[in-house]
Amino acid sequence: MLLLVLLAACRRSAETAAPASIDAPRSEPTSELRRSYDLPAADASWTPRDYQRVRDAFVRLERERPELLPRLDGPDGEWLRRLVALDGIEAAARSTAGPDELAALHLALADILQLYAARALTRGEYGHEYLAVAAAFFKESALRVERLAGDDPARRTFVEARFHLARGVHDVLASALALPDTIDPAVAVATFGPLGDLVAPWFLPEERDRILDLADRLAAVAVPPAGLAALRTAFAPDREPHPRVDALAEELREHLDQQEAVLAAVAAGALQPVEVGREGSQVRWAFPDVGFSAVFPRRPNAQRQKLHRRRRRGHDHPHARAQAARRRLAPRHLQRPRPADRRPHARRRAA
């Protein structure tokens, strides 16, 4: 169900084989689906606009003739394999003229995936089709993130797109564990294994760890070892991330360090938060004295209990807490450098 939420957020901002190539032999049998709806031909080169045509037709189909949603083993199986062909997706993504056209293609694929996700996750059907469409969507998503990574003004869009890619891949693999009767774990691993080298460079270290944890759990449900080996190799902790992701990881670590220091200062009475305004279901609070702001589910001093549990013996005196908080809020160039072996992913790499 979480994947459905992620797909909504995107709108805002054979048995174990991967999807077939568009170079496979094709025929064009007549079917009720293609007689009833305006769909591109399976033996033609598809443009980004063709994927939008498919999305528009599927939205109508879901209202009018939901039983015609194509299956891989149905009369429109060959046409569906053309829709999810990874080389076709790549050709369409690379042919887009600018970010707006690429975003339109992305949203079209997200809408198509949402239709199949609803069938698989809530009705227990279309499991193999859900995986094939998800693979096509993540292929395009990785290509989109790659393009956004080189566009400095698109930093916020890049951060959001990268997050949804990493979370989406994780959630689809997790759904195979949660719903193995609908979403075959062996098919899931075989489908996503070939995508590993493409998507893994965009994962933060902790996100890679979650994929590796899933691989360990999938090993217990009779998934072929070869498929799991490919997945583990692609997401290995010692594989270098994209430089943009490495920089983002360092920014996040610094932000969390500063946030922890600010919360400690608030708990010690050394800082007072200023409410800026609501952001969704949470509130942004500013700390003008230290030039910091962040979003919290409640007023920051309500988080005091968590900080109390972290305090070491001998450091509970209010003056000692306030002094420690001020030291942590000093400019970063005056602080002692953080040892590399304290980073969570560094420990795993060293192991």
Side-chain angles (χ1 to χ4, degrees):
M1 295 301 293
L2 183 56
L3 180 64
L4 298 177
V5 176
L6 291 175
L7 290 171
C10 285
R11 166 155 290 286
R12 295 187 304 269
S13 36
E15 193 70 1
T16 61
S21 166
I22 59 174
D23 294 326
R26 309 179 194 89
S27 59
E28 195 66 48
T30 302
S31 72
E32 183 68 18
L33 171 70
R34 281 172 282 172
R35 284 199 304 268
S36 303
Y37 295 94
D38 177 27
L39 296 169
D43 58 356
S45 296
W46 288 20
T47 66
R49 178 58 190 155
D50 287 321
Y51 291 92
Q52 295 172 57
R53 284 172 56 198
V54 173
R55 185 269 314 278
D56 296 342
F58 278 16
V59 170
R60 285 183 52 213
L61 175 154
E62 189 67 11
R63 294 195 309 264
E64 303 166 352
R65 305 283 301 278
E67 72 280 2
L68 294 183
L69 189 67
R71 293 180 178 271
L72 289 170
D73 59 355
D76 297 291
E78 188 175 354
W79 182 89
L80 180 57
R81 281 187 284 274
R82 174 62 182 87
L83 169 64
V84 300
L86 300 184
D87 46 359
I89 293 289
E90 179 170 3
R94 295 196 184 282
S95 72
T96 54
D100 292 341
E101 190 176 359
L102 182 57
L105 171 62
H106 180 75
L107 291 177
L109 293 171
D111 289 340
I112 295 170
L113 176 56
Q114 189 164 8
L115 292 175
Y116 280 97
R119 299 291 186 97
L121 302 179
T122 64
R123 305 185 195 179
E125 55 185 10
Y126 285 87
H128 291 180
E129 291 79 9
Y130 163 63
L131 291 172
V133 176
F137 175 69
F138 294 139
K139 171 81 171 187
E140 181 277 333
S141 296
L143 295 171
R144 178 170 177 253
V145 170
E146 179 183 18
R147 184 179 296 186
L148 291 171
D151 185 2
D152 286 336
R155 184 186 184 281
R156 180 174 179 178
T157 305
F158 163 77
V159 171
E160 293 177 352
R162 190 218 61 80
F163 168 79
H164 289 303
L165 170 63
R167 192 59 180 268
V169 172
H170 172 276
D171 289 348
V172 172
L173 288 173
S175 69
L177 284 167
L179 302 169
D181 293 337
T182 302
I183 304 166
D184 189 327
V187 179
V189 171
T191 302
F192 286 98
L195 289 175
D197 290 337
L198 178 66
V199 302
W202 305 109
F203 280 53
L204 293 170
E206 57 270 27
E207 293 165 342
R208 293 193 191 197
D209 288 346
R210 294 188 194 111
I211 297 296
L212 295 174
D213 289 341
L214 283 177
D216 293 341
R217 295 168 61 191
L218 286 164
V221 293
V223 173
L228 287 174
L231 196 66
R232 288 185 173 120
T233 299
F235 289 93
D238 58 350
R239 296 198 66 176
E240 287 298 319
H242 189 278
R244 187 81 182 264
V245 174
D246 211 20
L248 176 62
E250 185 60 32
E251 289 177 19
L252 291 174
R253 283 191 293 270
E254 291 184 0
H255 177 83
L256 290 175
D257 284 349
Q258 188 173 11
Q259 178 172 303
E260 184 176 353
V262 165
L263 290 176
V266 171
L271 282 178
Q272 290 297 323
V274 177
E275 183 175 344
V276 176
R278 297 196 67 83
E279 292 189 13
S281 61
Q282 303 192 70
V283 177
R284 178 169 291 278
W285 296 86
F287 305 87
D289 293 342
V290 294
F292 180 81
S293 72
V295 174
F296 298 96
R298 57 190 184 277
R299 185 179 175 85
N301 59 359
Q303 319 221 355
R304 186 175 305 188
Q305 279 66 33
K306 180 186 294 186
L307 293 163
H308 283 177
R309 288 196 298 270
R310 291 180 181 174
R311 290 189 196 122
R312 295 174 296 172
R313 276 173 70 183
H315 294 267
D316 283 340
H317 192 279
H319 295 299
R321 294 200 304 268
Q323 265 191 333
R326 292 191 187 96
R327 281 197 300 270
R328 285 193 294 270
L329 291 171
R332 294 198 67 83
H333 68 278
L334 299 179
Q335 298 181 24
R336 182 180 301 171
R338 184 178 185 180
D341 60 359
R342 288 182 57 197
R343 300 175 185 174
H345 67 285
R347 291 198 298 272
R348 183 156 190 167
R349 287 180 184 176

